[in-house]
């Protein structure tokens, strides 16, 4: 089938150059996998991988800069004009003793290489010189039917590489495809095997599921497949946790979180995605009935702790973990923004995670009671403060408090924060006024101790 791929951009031209070097030295060179799938779906391929008959040693000799990242598996990274391409030798695999990596590989031909891949829609090749699609596994038919189907025996494919369990969910959700029945049944049967995969690889797939199009469906498929229970039991626990109907007509905590993903507006950052996922994770442990009412007191504090623990378990970077912790911890504070004094409100707006929290609040409201009055209030305040220096240099600092006789330590923080709030709301208008206020504050604290 002839169907020219658009290689007009810089990355496309460089990929074609890599393939041409291989071809000119007597090797077969094809584009493989996701780039071919995306091309057939009318999308611009993000990454172009090259499959070749050249052995890894031969690839290294042909290019000036290479990285032997997976040389033992036939994979070499080629860096061409500062753009990196994965170049893999056609291979067959076996062994898979660790549920992820093969213990045996044999270099082979394209037809056999296609059959060792995960899903038919990812098993396609493109010849950039003949401009032809090479389909040995029925991938084009499944693309046209919008189906995710394991190549060959699904049981065998998932035994080989347990990460494919999550990849099936990821491709189905991001592409908007259905998972073929035998493949789906195999995912469900082997869901518990996901524990054989490293936390880092699981995290990578979850990030792709929750930050890309189709996150709401990915959330549902994770639960229906049994993978949610294995990877995120704290989220599974939200199922059946009822909420007050007047605030949450949508249903239980799990259903609310599902709907929240439907209301997030792209682009969705990692921080926003996982703040959305974990914002109510503290509710199952804090649910109580008080005076005939369902309550979830301090669920944001409990949820922030749980979110931090889960993200550490999944080996997220500390900066991402800390940001999600802050978003979950603060998400209930939005109900009080109209009552905040101007200085406190400005400090609320100045926090590093405010943009993510604002979008989380909007989606949180739309996924429940639908009232956006606090969101609209904050939007107006942002316009009002647009031409104002929201983060001026503080008039006083810790050294000033020490000079007044206050011991260095954690007791200084609330004093400095209060002074800054008063500065922001223009109650304290200069350094002298701030120093006078601080002396009076410290004197008052001493008299009370």
């Amino acid at each position: 089938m002839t169907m020219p791929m658009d290689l007009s951009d810089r990355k496309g031209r460089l990929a074609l150059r890599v393939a041409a070097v291989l071809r000119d030295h007597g090797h077969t060179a094809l584009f493989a996998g996701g780039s071919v799938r995306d091309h057939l779906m009318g999308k611009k391929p993000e990454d172009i991988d090259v499959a070749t008959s050249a052995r890894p040693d031969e690839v290294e000799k042909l290019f000036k800069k290479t990285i032997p990242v997976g040389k033992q598996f036939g994979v070499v990274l080629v860096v061409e004009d500062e753009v990196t391409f994965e170049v893999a030798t056609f291979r067959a695999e076996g062994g898979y003793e660790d549920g992820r990596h093969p213990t045996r590989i044999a270099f082979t031909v394209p037809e056999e290489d296609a059959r060792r891949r995960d899903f038919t829609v990812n098993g396609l090749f493109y010849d950039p010189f003949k401009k032809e699609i090479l389909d040995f596994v029925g991938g084009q038919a499944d693309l046209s039917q919008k189906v995710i189907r394991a190549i060959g025996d699904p049981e065998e494919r998932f035994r080989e590489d347990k990460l494919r369990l999550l990849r099936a969910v990821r491709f189905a959700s991001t592409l908007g495809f259905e998972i073929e029945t035998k493949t789906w049944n195999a995912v469900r049967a082997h869901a518990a095997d996901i524990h054989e995969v490293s936390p880092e690889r699981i995290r990578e797939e979850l990030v792709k599921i929750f930050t890309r199009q189709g996150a709401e469906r990915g959330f549902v498929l994770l639960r229906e497949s049994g993978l949610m229970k294995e990877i995120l039991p704290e989220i599974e626990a939200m199922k059946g946790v009822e909420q007050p109907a007047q605030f949450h007509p949508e249903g239980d905590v799990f259903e609310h979180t599902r709907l929240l993903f439907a209301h997030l507006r792209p682009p969705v950052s990692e921080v926003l995605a996982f703040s959305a996922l974990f914002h109510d994770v503290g509710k199952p442990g804090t649910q109580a009935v008080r005076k005939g009412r369902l309550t979830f007191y301090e669920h944001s504090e409990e949820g922030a702790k749980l979110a931090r623990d889960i993200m550490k378990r999944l080996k997220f970077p500390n900066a991402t973990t800390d940001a999600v912790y802050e978003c979950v911890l603060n998400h209930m504070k939005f109900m009080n923004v109209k009552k905040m004094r101007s200085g406190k409100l400005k400090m609320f707006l100045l926090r590093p995670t405010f943009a993510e929290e604002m979008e989380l609040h909007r989606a949180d409201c739309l996924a429940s009671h639908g009232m956006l009055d606090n969101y609209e209030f904050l939007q107006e305040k942002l316009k009002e403060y647009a031409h104002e220096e929201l983060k001026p240099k503080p008039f006083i600092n810790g050294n000033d408090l020490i000079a007044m006789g206050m011991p260095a330590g954690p007791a200084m923080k609330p004093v400095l924060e209060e002074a800054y709030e008063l500065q922001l709301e223009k109650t304290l208008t200069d350094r002298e006024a701030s120093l006078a206020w601080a002396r009076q504050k410290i004197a008052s604290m001493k008299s009370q101790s």
Side-chain angles (χ1 to χ4, degrees):
M1 173 184 175
T2 301
M3 188 174 181
M5 183 183 289
D6 181 5
L7 301 173
S8 60
D9 64 1
R10 180 169 176 266
K11 185 178 286 188
R13 294 193 303 271
L14 290 172
L16 188 59
R17 184 196 299 177
V18 170
V21 169
L22 291 162
R23 178 200 60 178
D24 292 346
H25 286 83
H27 303 293
T28 301
L30 305 173
F31 295 163
S35 62
V36 186
R37 179 198 67 229
D38 290 345
H39 162 58
L40 290 173
M41 293 181 68
K43 300 177 181 179
K44 188 73 175 173
E46 292 183 14
D47 297 305
I48 300 177
D49 296 336
V50 179
T52 181
S53 58
R55 303 295 176 94
D57 288 341
E58 294 172 313
V59 173
E60 288 179 319
K61 290 175 183 176
L62 291 174
F63 297 94
K64 290 181 180 179
K65 186 174 181 181
T66 61
I67 305 169
V69 64
K71 187 175 177 180
Q72 70 273 35
F73 304 117
V75 180
V76 175
L77 298 183
V78 171
V79 182
E80 190 76 5
D81 200 10
E82 299 182 354
V83 178
T84 301
F85 297 93
E86 182 180 290
V87 178
T89 306
F90 298 127
R91 67 191 188 271
E93 300 174 342
Y96 297 95
E97 291 177 3
D98 66 352
R100 176 72 182 133
H101 301 103
T103 55
R104 303 188 309 274
I105 68 163
F107 298 128
T108 183
V109 294
E111 293 88 337
E112 195 167 358
D113 183 273
R115 286 192 284 271
R116 59 98 189 162
R117 294 173 181 262
D118 54 7
F119 307 108
T120 61
V121 297
N122 295 333
L124 298 161
F125 294 111
Y126 175 76
D127 186 325
F129 309 108
K130 295 180 180 178
K131 298 179 175 56
E132 289 180 350
I133 302 294
L134 303 177
D135 183 1
F136 306 111
V137 293
Q140 291 178 94
D142 284 340
L143 269 179
S144 66
Q145 295 297 317
K146 297 186 176 182
V147 168
I148 300 299
R149 184 193 310 273
I151 294 172
D153 179 9
E155 297 276 342
E156 187 175 346
R157 292 292 82 76
F158 294 131
R159 279 195 298 269
E160 290 169 348
D161 184 350
K162 307 304 191 296
L163 187 65
R164 289 170 174 169
L165 298 163
L166 264 178
R167 284 168 62 83
V169 169
R170 194 243 295 180
F171 287 122
S173 60
T174 58
L175 298 177
F177 285 13
E178 295 296 324
I179 301 177
E180 178 267 334
T181 302
K182 288 184 179 179
T183 303
W184 177 243
N185 290 341
V187 170
R188 297 182 67 190
H190 292 276
D193 295 343
I194 197 64
H195 295 291
E196 296 180 33
V197 179
S198 71
E200 292 87 350
R201 299 307 298 271
I202 291 173
R203 179 197 70 220
E204 289 173 10
E205 291 299 318
L206 291 178
V207 167
K208 290 172 182 175
I209 289 170
F210 289 122
T211 60
R212 297 181 180 180
Q213 182 178 342
E216 176 195 6
R217 186 155 179 264
F219 182 81
V220 173
L221 289 176
L222 283 171
R223 182 176 191 273
E224 291 180 349
S225 65
L227 289 165
M228 183 81 82
K229 181 176 66 175
E230 303 298 334
I231 301 168
L232 297 167
E234 299 88 348
I235 303 299
E236 180 81 12
M238 299 191 308
K239 190 70 178 173
V241 178
E242 297 301 327
Q243 305 181 94
Q246 65 268 40
F247 301 116
H248 289 279
E250 75 281 4
D252 67 17
V253 180
F254 188 92
E255 180 68 6
H256 166 68
T257 305
R258 177 191 71 78
L259 283 172
L260 196 153
F261 276 106
H263 288 292
L264 290 179
R265 296 183 294 203
V268 177
S269 68
E270 281 187 42
V271 170
L272 177 56
F274 286 88
S275 298
L277 183 64
F278 297 133
H279 79 290
D280 277 349
V281 72
K283 280 191 171 180
T286 58
Q287 185 187 50
V289 178
R290 290 179 172 86
K291 298 181 180 179
R293 291 177 55 243
L294 271 176
T295 63
F296 300 95
Y297 292 144
E298 298 185 354
H299 80 270
S300 55
E301 291 81 359
E302 176 67 15
K305 294 174 188 174
L306 281 171
R308 182 168 55 195
D309 291 344
I310 298 166
M311 295 188 75
K312 285 183 176 180
R313 185 173 79 216
L314 292 170
K315 309 295 185 184
F316 274 89
N318 289 338
T320 307
T321 300
D322 292 344
V324 170
Y325 176 89
E326 288 298 317
C327 289
V328 175
L329 182 66
N330 291 311
H331 81 277
M332 291 299 292
K333 293 179 181 178
F334 280 75
M335 68 171 64
N336 298 318
V337 292
K338 291 181 181 179
K339 301 174 186 176
M340 291 180 183
R341 287 164 44 182
S342 62
K344 189 174 185 65
L345 180 61
K346 289 176 182 179
M347 289 187 72
F348 188 71
L349 300 177
L350 287 170
R351 289 171 304 106
T353 54
F354 178 74
E356 283 89 356
E357 290 176 30
M358 184 76 156
E359 174 62 7
L360 174 62
H361 173 69
R362 185 192 67 82
D364 194 9
C365 293
L366 291 176
S368 51
H369 49 69
M371 294 182 288
L372 292 174
D373 50 319
N374 289 324
Y375 176 81
E376 291 164 355
F377 169 81
L378 287 170
Q379 290 281 54
E380 289 302 314
K381 285 297 178 183
L382 288 170
K383 292 178 185 176
E384 180 183 327
Y385 299 146
H387 303 294
E388 184 177 328
E389 175 58 71
L390 278 184
K391 200 172 184 178
K393 183 180 178 181
F395 289 140
I396 61 173
N397 57 37
N399 291 330
D400 295 316
L401 300 187
I402 292 171
M404 295 175 193
M406 187 174 191
M412 297 170 65
K413 183 179 179 181
V415 176
L416 291 172
E417 285 182 348
E418 186 176 354
Y420 196 55
E421 280 184 29
L422 292 170
Q423 177 182 336
L424 290 176
E425 63 187 40
K426 297 182 172 55
T427 300
L428 298 176
T429 56
D430 56 33
R431 176 171 167 79
E432 291 306 315
S434 297
L435 289 170
W437 174 88
R439 290 189 193 97
Q440 186 176 359
K441 182 74 173 180
I442 292 170
S444 175
M445 290 170 67
K446 285 180 178 178
S447 68
Q448 292 175 11
S449 61

